[in-house]
Amino acid sequence: MYRPDLFGSIEKIDSARIKNPFIPHLAKIEKIERLSEDTRMYTVKFKDKNVEKGFSYLPGQFVMVTHFGIGEVAISLCSSPTKRKVQLTIRKVGTVTEKIHELEEGAVVGIRGPYGNGFPMDKIKGKDVLVVGGGIGLAPLRGAIDYILDNKKEYGKITVFLGCREPAAILFSKDIERWKKKIEFLISVDKACEGWKGYVGVVTTLFDKVEIDGKNGCAIVCGPPVMYRFVGNELIKRNFAKEDIYYSLERRMKCGLGKCGHCLIAHKFTCVDGPVFTHFDAETLEGFF
Ligand SMILES: Cc1cc2nc3c(=O)[nH]c(=O)nc-3n(C[C@H](O)[C@H](O)[C@H](O)COP(=O)(O)OP(=O)(O)OC[C@H]3O[C@@H](n4cnc5c(N)ncnc54)[C@H](O)[C@@H]3O)c2cc1C
Ligand code: FES
């Protein structure tokens, strides 16, 4: 809940933000959609019309979301900027995310950002794009997929591989139905249940199901860190250049501004140098793979 006793009037917040980048913009939760047992998607709207109008970002960037009086968490922007709608997908895992899940439509949260580099949507123009997602890693990739589909003429062929623990953990079912009509979209689950007719096995098993050649391609990947080494090996076997493989990395974050050092990986700040790193860069960062 918005705490005027802590933050004063909205006007005061606006003038203070100019001096203090840690002060978030106020945003109203317009819509909450249940995506799975522990994951929801939030459509938010900034209270300040100018902020709403001027909020621009790249797929793969993230924001810091404040539950006032509880804390802040880093969350990827999961909608494409082409949709003119700010959406965030949040999994309930601990203190702050649990409290965010208790909020209802109409509640106000704080949002600062966008932060990080995001996926290089300009640089990959003209290339075939292979998207590889694991579990909630599909959230930042969702924005990239829609961005490419909304600018279809500027990109080559797009293929998506999605790996999930089990069928019930598959997020964005409505989007997947929509995407399947336009692009090759393969899903594999670690553990099938009765009635599952799709592939079974870790996400890398999907590489044998369709012909993929990375010569004129790039790959964008997001999922649990353990996935990256195995996916990277498959991509390199299929002629993807190390500079054309992009991983989105999650580290614990506090400031999001390159100041606190919480997100350091080797000498890089994940919040400002990342969260997207090429395979080429990742190889030089101890602890990445
Ligand atoms: C760039 C970036 C983008 C992210 N995008 C999303 C997103 O779109 N949706 C989403 O649900 N989450 C996302 N996360 C993860 C999210 O920030 C954490 O889940 C959140 O901070 C947990 O806060 P908490 O207070 O609820 O949990 P805590 O009580 O702090 O921790 C609960 C558990 O989660 C683990 N944890 C906490 N932070 C992280 C983290 N950053 N990475 C991995 N494990 C963590 C802890 O080790 C602990 O086991 C992102 C993180 C980063 C860095
Ligand atoms: S989160 Fe503080 S330096 Fe990156």
Side-chain angles (χ1 to χ4, degrees), residues 14-253:
D14 276 342
S15 61
R17 191 185 302 107
I18 295 164
K19 296 186 194 114
N20 185 346
F22 289 98
I23 296 181
H25 294 288
L26 300 176
K28 185 174 151 195
I29 299 175
E30 297 253 292
K31 193 171 174 193
I32 303 176
E33 290 164 77
R34 184 187 185 277
L35 300 185
S36 76
E37 181 72 33
D38 58 3
T39 308
R40 290 180 185 177
M41 181 162 70
Y42 297 81
T43 304
V44 297
K45 193 164 188 179
F46 291 103
K47 289 208 140 199
D48 182 327
K49 283 197 180 80
N50 291 329
V51 174
E52 178 73 19
K53 222 168 128 191
F55 190 75
S56 65
Y57 60 93
L58 272 177
Q61 285 194 288
F62 67 96
V63 288
M64 297 300 295
V65 180
T66 307
H67 185 315
F68 291 111
I70 304 293
E72 247 189 339
V73 284
I75 299 293
S76 304
L77 289 148
C78 74
S79 46
S80 164
T82 51
K83 302 291 183 204
R84 306 299 309 154
K85 200 162 32 168
V86 179
Q87 290 179 312
L88 308 165
T89 296
I90 303 182
R91 172 162 289 168
K92 185 165 70 166
V93 295
T95 317
V96 180
T97 49
E98 262 172 32
K99 285 290 178 190
I100 291 176
H101 270 235
E102 286 172 16
L103 295 174
E104 291 177 3
E105 288 174 2
V108 172
V109 291
I111 293 186
R112 56 185 180 91
Y115 296 130
N117 53 1
F119 296 114
M121 303 312 294
D122 270 346
K123 202 171 162 203
I124 66 173
K125 277 182 182 164
K127 290 182 184 283
D128 292 337
V129 185
L130 174 64
V131 177
V132 186
I136 196 170
L138 185 57
L141 298 171
R142 175 179 182 259
I145 296 169
D146 274 338
Y147 187 93
I148 293 171
L149 289 175
D150 288 341
N151 296 282
K152 192 73 196 78
K153 283 193 195 129
E154 303 191 53
Y155 296 89
K157 188 182 172 214
I158 172 165
T159 307
V160 183
F161 291 169
L162 173 65
C164 278
R165 228 175 35 246
E166 54 185 341
I170 297 173
L171 306 177
F172 307 113
S173 322
K174 272 198 253 167
D175 294 303
I176 292 174
E177 286 315 306
R178 177 168 61 84
W179 291 328
K180 275 185 167 172
K181 291 183 188 138
K182 299 179 182 166
I183 55 177
E184 190 146 33
F185 197 110
L186 277 66
I187 307 178
S188 183
V189 295
D190 297 350
K191 218 174 85 192
C193 63
E194 222 181 287
W196 173 254
K197 293 191 179 73
Y199 297 109
V200 180
V202 291
V203 71
T204 44
T205 58
L206 296 174
F207 280 88
D208 296 328
K209 309 298 177 201
V210 286
E211 188 124 341
I212 294 283
D213 185 359
K215 257 194 214 120
N216 180 39
C218 71
I220 57 178
V221 186
C222 188
V226 63
M227 194 180 100
Y228 291 165
R229 188 186 329 154
F230 298 104
V231 169
N233 288 344
E234 294 296 331
L235 292 168
I236 284 161
K237 268 195 251 167
R238 286 164 179 78
N239 305 317
F240 284 84
K242 290 180 182 178
E243 296 83 352
D244 290 324
I245 301 172
Y246 300 94
Y247 303 111
S248 178
L249 182 68
E250 263 190 32
R251 301 294 272 191
R252 280 176 165 271
M253 285 190 187

